[in-house]
Amino acid sequence: PPGVLSITPANRSELNSISEITAVLEDNSGTGLDFTSTGSNIQVIGPDGTEVEGTTSHEGDNLILGINLATDGSEDGRYTVSVKPVDNTGTAGNEKRVTFIYDTEQPEIISVTNIDMTANVSLVNGEISRIEAVLVDAMPPSGYADNAGIDFETSTVRLKSSDGNIVDGEQGDNDTDKIWWQLSNPLSRG
C-alpha cells in the first residue's frame, strides 16, 4: 500500500503563522498515487472540532493543503492533521496524524519588580539586586486551552542604565512564568 513519508509542519510544532500543510506520499505499487477528490486526502481539524477549509493541490508526490488562519488569536489552539494516501489501484495506506499548536498571541508582562509599568521612568528607593518579570501566555481568544506557552530560550529581560547600557548581570527563569535579571553588583541609591 502507499505510505506517508512526512508531514509539514512536524508533529507537536508550535507555530505563529502557517499557509500550507504538505504531506510527502510514497507510491509502493508502481501504479501512481490517486490525487482525485476520492483518492489521497489531507484533512485538518481545528481546536473547535470542525474541519478547516482549504485548497488541495499536489506537486509530484506531495499533497498540499493551502489554509488561511486568522492572525488575531481567534483561531489559536491545537490542530490535528490527518493524511490518507491512496494509489491508482484504489488501495489505501495507513493514515498518519500530526498535531500542531497555532498561537499568534504574544505573551503579556503582568508585572515587573521595582518598575511602574504605566510610567516612562520609575524611581526606586533602596537597593536593587534583581529585576523580575511575571509573564503569561493567556488562553487563546478561541476559548480552547492550548497555547504555545512562554519560550524562555528566546525571552529576555534586561536593566539599562541612564546612558542606555545594559547593567551587568545574568538572566534566569523558573521555566513557568517568571524571568529575571540578577545584577552582578546591586544598585543602591546615591
Side-chain angles (χ1 to χ4, degrees):
V4 179
L5 297 177
S6 67
I7 299 173
T8 304
N11 195 28
R12 298 187 185 138
S13 295
E14 295 173 353
L15 311 168
N16 59 18
S17 67
I18 186 168
S19 60
E20 67 179 30
I21 297 167
T22 304
V24 179
L25 306 183
E26 180 177 38
D27 171 27
N28 293 315
S29 69
T31 63
L33 294 163
D34 181 357
F35 289 109
T36 66
S37 61
T38 58
S40 301
N41 66 59
I42 186 167
Q43 180 184 47
V44 179
I45 302 298
D48 62 357
T50 62
E51 185 173 355
V52 174
E53 297 296 321
T55 304
T56 304
S57 62
H58 73 93
E59 293 176 12
D61 289 344
N62 294 344
L63 183 60
I64 302 163
L65 180 66
I67 60 174
N68 185 18
L69 298 179
T71 57
D72 63 359
S74 62
E75 293 184 304
D76 287 6
R78 183 177 305 275
Y79 287 76
T80 301
V81 178
S82 302
V83 178
K84 183 82 165 183
V86 178
D87 66 23
N88 283 327
T89 67
T91 303
N94 290 331
E95 181 178 83
K96 184 171 184 175
R97 291 181 182 206
V98 299
T99 62
F100 66 88
I101 292 179
Y102 182 66
D103 185 359
T104 60
E105 296 289 288
Q106 295 182 0
E108 294 180 42
I109 300 170
I110 300 301
S111 65
V112 180
T113 57
N114 301 313
I115 304 294
D116 177 356
M117 292 181 15
T118 64
N120 289 332
V121 175
S122 292
L123 301 176
V124 178
N125 287 323
E127 184 177 276
I128 298 176
S129 60
R130 173 164 143 163
I131 298 293
E132 183 175 285
V134 176
L135 310 175
V136 65
D137 190 16
M139 181 183 296
S142 65
Y144 299 96
D146 289 324
N147 58 24
I150 308 291
D151 182 354
F152 287 99
E153 296 295 318
T154 59
S155 298
T156 60
V157 63
R158 299 287 186 269
L159 179 63
K160 290 186 178 182
S161 62
S162 60
D163 62 6
N165 292 318
I166 295 174
V167 176
D168 286 339
E170 185 174 320
Q171 182 168 299
D173 64 73
N174 68 355
D175 204 30
T176 305
D177 65 346
K178 293 180 183 174
I179 188 169
W180 56 81
W181 186 249
Q182 186 72 43
L183 279 61
S184 299
N185 297 305
L187 299 178
S188 55
R189 185 175 179 197

